Amino acid sequence: MLKKKLKKIKTEVYALGQHISMSAHKARRVVDQIRGRSYEETLMILELMPYRACYPILKLVYSAAANANYNMDSNESNLVISKAQVSEGTATKKLKPRARGRSFTIKKPTCHITIVVKDISLDEYLEVDFLDSFRCSKKLKLKKKYTANGGVWAKK
């Protein structure tokens, strides 16, 4: 009797935008509207909303869909925005000259936006025979160990 083993499959990919020059509060206002929606519905919402934060978030959603297409061969109609978060970044500081030789600091806030896309057509777990997965992993380890580019034999 062969034992069955569950193997976890990658069903999520993400796109990360760092140091986007806008307040995290303003970006969260837009991200809260798209969380949990489908990819196509998200594109329509972002194109029609009148906020400045929509454009960088739209670029990140496009990038996450391209990552899903490249890494998992998924179709855009099966994608759902599973997670979307905005965190505060560093604040750029500038000095503005004022009267009588004084200066005030102007803080320009930045934020980091993460968009995670999930393919709903893929199963999260794959049932594999225990011995087959063991043999396959052993073969992969041997191939990795004895490669010609930077492996064991290429050292001087």
Side-chain angles (χ1 to χ4, degrees):
M1 184 171 108
L2 291 174
K3 287 186 177 180
K4 297 285 185 181
K5 182 181 175 184
L6 290 177
K7 184 178 179 183
K8 188 164 178 139
I9 298 175
K10 185 178 173 185
T11 60
E12 290 184 340
V13 292
Y14 68 95
L16 177 65
Q18 292 186 328
H19 304 292
I20 297 172
S21 62
M22 77 178 60
S23 149
H25 179 73
K26 292 177 184 175
R28 277 191 200 110
R29 180 173 55 184
V30 175
V31 165
D32 289 341
Q33 299 296 319
I34 65 167
R35 193 177 288 123
R37 299 191 188 254
S38 69
Y39 171 73
E40 294 163 348
E41 189 178 357
T42 300
L43 294 182
M44 286 191 295
I45 289 172
L46 289 175
E47 286 174 358
L48 296 175
M49 284 179 86
Y51 302 118
R52 196 186 112 214
C54 292
Y55 183 67
I57 294 172
L58 183 71
K59 285 174 64 174
L60 282 172
V61 170
Y62 274 132
S63 176
N67 290 344
N69 189 9
Y70 182 76
N71 293 335
M72 300 186 306
D73 293 329
S74 31
N75 191 3
E76 292 175 349
S77 61
N78 298 327
L79 297 178
V80 172
I81 310 293
S82 62
K83 295 177 194 169
Q85 76 178 46
V86 180
S87 57
E88 292 183 7
T90 58
T92 308
K93 295 180 182 177
K94 290 183 179 180
L95 292 177
K96 183 170 184 174
R98 302 300 290 191
R100 298 169 137 198
R102 297 181 184 159
S103 62
F104 287 165
T105 57
I106 296 174
K107 295 179 186 173
K108 293 197 154 226
T110 61
C111 65
H112 308 310
I113 304 173
T114 307
I115 304 287
V116 181
V117 175
K118 183 176 185 178
D119 191 350
I120 56 174
S121 67
L122 296 177
D123 294 330
E124 289 193 30
Y125 293 97
L126 179 66
E127 198 170 298
V128 181
D129 291 336
F130 180 73
L131 293 176
D132 289 344
S133 66
F134 178 72
R135 290 181 192 132
C136 290
S137 65
K138 207 171 190 180
K139 287 178 185 175
L140 288 174
K141 285 180 184 175
L142 289 175
K143 283 184 180 177
K144 287 181 182 175
K145 190 174 182 182
Y146 298 111
T147 56
N149 52 354
V152 176
W153 307 110
K155 292 182 181 176
K156 291 183 180 179

